[in-house]
Amino acid sequence: MLQTNLEHVTSKEHLQQIIESNEKVAVCCGRMGPMCIPVYEVFEVFGEKYPDIKFMDMEFDNPEAAVIRSLPECSTFRGLPFTVYYRNGKVVKATTSIQNAKQIKEVIEEVLS
Amino acid sequence: MSHHFDLIIIGAGPAGLAAAIYASRAAIKTLVIDESSAGGQVKTTHQVANYPGFIEPVSGHQLASNMKKQAEKYGTKFELAAEITDLNLVGAEKWVKADGETYTAKQIIISTGSSPRLLNVPGEKEFKGGGISYCATCDGEFYTGKDIVVVGGGNSAMEESLLLLQFVNSITVIHQFDALQAEKVTAEKMIQNPKVNILWSHEPRGFEKNGERMIITAENLKTKEMVTIERDGVFIFVGMLPNVDALKNTPLEFSKYGYIVTNENMETNIEGVYAAGDVRDKKYRQIATAVGDGTVASLEVIRKM
Ligand SMILES: Cc1cc2nc3c(=O)[nH]c(=O)nc-3n(C[C@H](O)[C@H](O)[C@H](O)COP(=O)(O)OP(=O)(O)OC[C@H]3O[C@@H](n4cnc5c(N)ncnc54)[C@H](O)[C@@H]3O)c2cc1C
């Protein structure tokens, strides 16, 4: 289990239900490692700054995380975490490896603003 | 909008958080600004075994979270994931602009720490996470049975390489000197390993992709000859750099390696501006030394107020 204060995505069905009931969703799929922790923590801070976006995480080693790992947008990714942004139920952006607050803000402005 | 504080601390690593705990406990109105979340390098350190007070190793994430909560408990305010766009360190009233807000204070502690150094060669940024990595524990398994390059020959490069050897088929180390800088025992383990090959006195000059594979161009520093090798991935571990980009246009005095120069009270050359932790010009960069610096800086602030 990820030790974050974010709401965790637990299954494919759970993710489906979240992206159907929220226009803007961001999911950071990773482990408790040095590349992932900074992204979860920026998500925690941004949860307050962007109340219209649902920021969540998902454990990379959960077999259900195939719903993220096997996305075509992530097919070339070889760096944790895989971070996926959804709008109206569709993937609008995916990033690999660590991203800082500025980079995450740029993605939000590009696809979720 | 403008917000006034007695003390602004830039950087919420152990140095900044220690300073915040001391200042807030002394009823000094304190703001901590960080471009990321609180905790600095500690929050991403798997286990810390040498910070006093913990008999068993403590997770860095837990230690960082406790430091932040301790500062919050005494009234420290935090502005996190905030980008500093401008700042003025000179004069009696100093100010920092971040995310469209202006924060003023009479005293400032800079504790922006350090970050892994990038090579800054073409292709490095573009292929981050898609062939280029900076963390063996995070990304090693994506290269199971593959052939990779490790750039660097210091302690962290060699320790991360030993971990990578559990996954990969082979490692080609690209190192700028003709001996490894890592501790002798670690260096020997690498040199003796049949899966390891070392390109001595070489430096990467660029990365490209050929399908799934990485093309690495490296220069032989002695002959100036360029070599090109093709591997499945590249891991880069080439040391740390002080986080001083936001401070470059200030009159702060920096050492020749870019660290902020202070006296033993953590005072910089600018009145009312202190530096603490890894960003400071000093010999040992550890959590305990960062906490010590933050404490000294804060006690100086308290004394002067
Ligand atoms: C992998 C690893 C393992 C380590 N293990 C240990 C260990 O076991 N024991 C030990 O004692 N030490 C260890 N260290 C060293 C230790 O983590 C550092 O010495 C310590 O964190 C330095 O603290 P600091 O507060 O000076 O800086 P940092 O921890 O680097 O924190 C600086 C903070 O400033 C912020 N910042 C940077 N620039 C800006 C800006 N422009 N605006 C706003 N905020 C900014 C950063 O986001 C960060 O939060 C380790 C380091 C690494 C990388």
Side-chain angles (χ1 to χ4, degrees), chain B:
Chain B
M1 220 177 119
S2 182
H3 313 266
H4 186 74
F5 289 85
D6 298 324
L7 169 67
I8 294 174
I9 298 170
I10 305 176
L17 292 173
I21 291 165
Y22 272 79
S24 296
R25 285 201 73 215
I28 286 174
K29 199 177 164 202
T30 304
L31 172 72
V32 178
I33 303 176
D34 199 295
E35 64 181 10
S36 178
S37 56
Q41 296 167 59
V42 180
K43 68 172 178 268
T44 59
T45 299
H46 178 53
Q47 296 221 300
V48 177
N50 54 8
Y51 190 69
F54 297 90
I55 297 161
E56 295 303 324
V58 57
S59 105
H61 189 238
Q62 187 62 57
L63 182 59
S65 162
N66 286 357
M67 286 183 186
K68 182 193 175 219
K69 284 184 188 148
Q70 196 178 352
E72 259 170 347
K73 182 180 149 194
Y74 293 115
T76 301
K77 295 279 176 265
F78 284 88
E79 203 48 61
L80 300 176
E83 189 191 351
I84 295 181
T85 48
D86 200 4
L87 82 174
N88 166 50
L89 301 178
V90 190
E93 187 85 332
K94 304 168 194 319
W95 50 259
V96 178
K97 290 189 181 172
D99 282 359
E101 305 284 325
T102 302
Y103 303 96
T104 59
K106 291 202 162 41
Q107 319 238 29
I108 291 198
I109 297 176
I110 298 163
S111 46
T112 47
S114 56
S115 299
R117 191 161 82 84
L118 302 181
L119 292 170
N120 284 320
V121 299
E124 184 182 16
K125 276 200 187 118
E126 293 84 328
F127 300 122
K128 186 182 86 171
I132 294 189
S133 287
Y134 298 87
C135 174
T137 42
C138 311
D139 303 336
E141 75 175 71
F142 291 114
Y143 296 92
T144 302
K146 308 269 187 192
D147 302 304
I148 62 160
V149 157
V150 165
V151 183
N155 265 324
S156 61
M158 294 304 99
E159 274 161 21
E160 298 267 326
S161 296
L162 289 174
L163 213 146
L164 285 166
L165 281 167
Q166 296 170 17
F167 300 102
V168 302
N169 179 52
S170 77
I171 296 182
T172 302
V173 176
I174 299 184
H175 187 42
Q176 60 181 339
F177 302 116
D178 43 22
L180 295 174
Q181 265 57 58
E183 276 169 23
K184 210 172 161 208
V185 186
T186 317
E188 276 308 309
K189 277 189 199 159
M190 281 295 286
I191 291 168
Q192 304 297 336
N193 195 305
K195 286 161 63 172
V196 175
N197 156 49
I198 305 181
L199 267 185
W200 302 107
S201 304
H202 278 70
E203 258 181 16
R205 292 288 174 250
F207 303 106
E208 287 173 274
K209 254 195 143 167
N210 178 16
E212 291 278 283
R213 305 198 87 202
M214 297 296 301
I215 313 282
I216 304 107
T217 305
E219 180 181 346
N220 182 326
L221 300 175
K222 289 185 175 160
T223 63
K224 304 289 169 209
E225 193 189 333
M226 292 289 186
V227 294
T228 301
I229 52 176
E230 193 175 314
R231 296 288 186 275
D232 297 294
V234 180
F235 283 75
I236 300 172
F237 311 107
V238 287
M240 307 290 284
L241 274 185
N243 296 322
V244 291
D245 281 357
L247 309 163
K248 278 278 153 70
N249 295 326
T250 67
L252 273 172
E253 184 188 348
F254 296 98
S255 72
K256 68 173 174 179
Y257 297 110
Y259 292 89
I260 302 173
V261 176
T262 69
N263 63 17
E264 63 176 20
N265 295 330
M266 309 301 141
E267 291 167 307
T268 68
N269 60 320
I270 306 175
E271 170 110 44
V273 180
Y274 305 78
D278 277 17
V279 74
R280 187 171 83 84
D281 186 33
K282 62 177 182 178
K283 195 164 175 189
Y284 300 112
R285 294 192 169 82
Q286 289 284 289
I287 304 166
T289 60
V291 164
D293 286 359
T295 304
V296 171
S298 206
L299 289 173
E300 270 301 298
V301 168
I302 295 165
R303 189 177 67 81
K304 286 187 182 152
M305 289 183 89

